[in-house]
């Protein structure tokens, strides 16, 4: 695992941008796995400057029951922050209104394989250690499927919904096993509210209780943190030394 710790959160965005830029320089028709959430917003603002017309995207997750034109759907999030500015060759999103959920999720996985698999998967982290919408207790071998959100995640995501509108209970999400098949996973975290989850993911045991900890078993993961998100890491000074020495 490569762990990059920066003093400021814009350096986190900048480093992630450079990784994606490099990926696209090496392979114009890269398959990018895309995440949502506040962490990704400044990164998507930067990505709009890139030519993504040869690339293919797959989003991690979606709320069940929201149509793709619902303003709080992740489809709307992607249009607002990226797709309206810079179109991909193909963009795949899970459909929160799919009538046959199992078939829809299997078809999503099949399409990912047909496209050659995900080259670079962007990830945020929930304060309970979730990646995508794989909540604590998710099998580390799980595939794309229906999940139930924890009260903690529903509360954290309520800020994205207008007051009076409930955060859905059910979601569709790529599984931990699906994410682990990406060739390169890139996890970003900003701020102190993520420090405990980051500590458990990076320095705790590998456990379904903290789905992000599965990344310890991934052959190529880059974790990009600001100082606050890294603040609880026991070996943070060591990680900085290793990262600096790699750049020499
Ligand atoms: C949601 C998404 C996750 C994301 C998380 C963190 O739960 N499903 O993919 O990582 O939010 O979001 P934020 O970046 O807003 O903290």
């Amino acid at each position: 695992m490569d762990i990059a710790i920066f003093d400021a959160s814009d350096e986190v965005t900048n480093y992630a941008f450079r990784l994606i830029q490099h990926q696209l320089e090496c392979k114009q028709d890269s398959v990018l796995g895309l995440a949502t959430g506040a962490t990704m917003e400044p990164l998507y603002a930067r990505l709009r400057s890139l030519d993504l017309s040869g690339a293919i995207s797959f989003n991690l997750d979606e709320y069940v029951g929201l149509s793709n034109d619902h303003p709080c759907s992740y489809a709307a999030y992607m249009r607002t922050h990226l797709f309206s500015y810079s179109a991909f060759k193909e963009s795949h999103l899970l459909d929160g209104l799919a009538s046959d959920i199992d078939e829809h999720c299997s078809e999503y996985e099949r399409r990912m394989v047909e496209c050659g698999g995900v080259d670079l998967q962007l990830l945020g982290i929930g304060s309970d250690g979730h990646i995508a919408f794989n909540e604590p207790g998710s099998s580390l071998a799980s595939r794309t499927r229906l999940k139930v959100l924890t009260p903690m995640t529903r509360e954290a995501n309520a800020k994205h919904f207008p007051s009076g509108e409930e955060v859905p209970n059910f979601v569709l999400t790529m599984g931990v096993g699906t994410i682990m098949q990406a060739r390169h996973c890139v996890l970003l975290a900003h701020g102190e509210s993520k420090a405990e989850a980051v500590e458990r993911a990076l320095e705790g045991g590998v456990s379904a209780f903290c789905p992000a900890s599965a990344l310890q078993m991934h052959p190529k993961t880059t974790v990009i943190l600001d100082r606050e998100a890294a603040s609880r890491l026991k070996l943070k000074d060591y990680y900085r030394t290793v990262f600096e020495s790699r750049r020499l």
Side-chain angles (χ1 to χ4, degrees):
M1 212 180 238
D2 285 337
I3 303 174
I5 302 171
F6 294 101
D7 288 332
S9 61
D10 60 342
E11 294 175 273
V12 172
T13 301
N14 194 32
Y15 190 62
F17 173 78
R18 279 166 39 213
L19 289 180
I20 296 169
Q21 192 176 34
H22 178 70
Q23 172 66 41
L24 291 166
E25 277 164 11
C26 297
K27 188 181 172 201
Q28 215 190 348
D29 57 350
S30 289
V31 179
L32 302 181
L34 301 179
T36 52
T39 309
M40 299 298 150
E41 290 175 19
L43 176 60
Y44 292 156
R46 294 282 312 275
L47 285 190
R48 292 172 204 164
S49 65
L50 296 181
D51 176 11
L52 301 169
S53 62
I56 295 175
S57 70
F58 282 88
N59 261 77
L60 281 171
D61 46 15
E62 183 56 282
Y63 292 105
V64 167
L66 302 193
S67 65
N68 66 11
D69 56 3
H70 187 290
C72 302
S73 68
Y74 284 161
Y77 170 102
M78 290 311 302
R79 283 194 300 276
T80 304
H81 295 287
L82 185 59
F83 294 161
S84 313
Y85 300 88
S86 201
F88 283 74
K89 183 171 137 206
E90 280 177 33
S91 283
H92 300 271
L93 290 130
L94 286 156
D95 178 1
L97 294 182
S99 52
D100 185 338
I101 285 178
D102 290 347
E103 174 49 28
H104 177 60
C105 292
S106 303
E107 177 55 27
Y108 201 69
E109 293 258 351
R110 273 196 295 276
R111 193 71 198 116
M112 238 180 282
V113 172
E114 278 165 15
C115 290
V118 173
D119 292 300
L120 186 152
Q121 176 65 60
L122 284 172
L123 295 166
I125 185 168
S127 34
D128 61 359
H130 73 241
I131 45 174
F133 268 139
N134 293 284
E135 295 284 35
S138 293
S139 160
L140 302 186
S142 50
R143 311 304 306 190
T144 304
R145 71 214 181 289
L146 181 78
K147 283 294 288 181
V148 179
L149 294 182
T150 60
M152 190 183 189
T153 299
R154 292 184 70 222
E155 199 181 308
N157 290 2
K159 60 180 179 291
H160 302 297
F161 285 74
S163 69
E165 186 160 348
E166 295 260 305
V167 178
N169 260 312
F170 295 99
V171 291
L172 301 181
T173 180
M174 279 191 205
V176 182
T178 318
I179 292 167
M180 291 289 282
Q181 280 183 330
R183 291 179 190 92
H184 185 186
C185 287
V186 178
L187 184 142
L188 281 65
H190 301 278
E192 219 212 311
S193 65
K194 300 295 173 70
E196 191 192 334
V198 166
E199 179 191 22
R200 290 199 294 122
L202 271 55
E203 294 183 338
V206 174
S207 159
F209 194 63
C210 179
S213 67
L215 294 168
Q216 293 176 32
M217 305 288 288
H218 190 276
K220 188 177 180 193
T221 284
T222 305
V223 179
I224 316 173
L225 307 169
D226 68 3
R227 193 180 27 214
E228 288 76 23
S231 59
R232 290 179 57 134
L233 293 174
K234 290 169 201 67
L235 293 184
K236 55 180 178 287
D237 295 336
Y238 171 70
Y239 304 140
R240 279 189 189 258
T241 307
V242 172
F243 185 67
E244 285 305 318
S245 62
R246 280 185 47 239
R247 289 204 292 186
L248 294 179

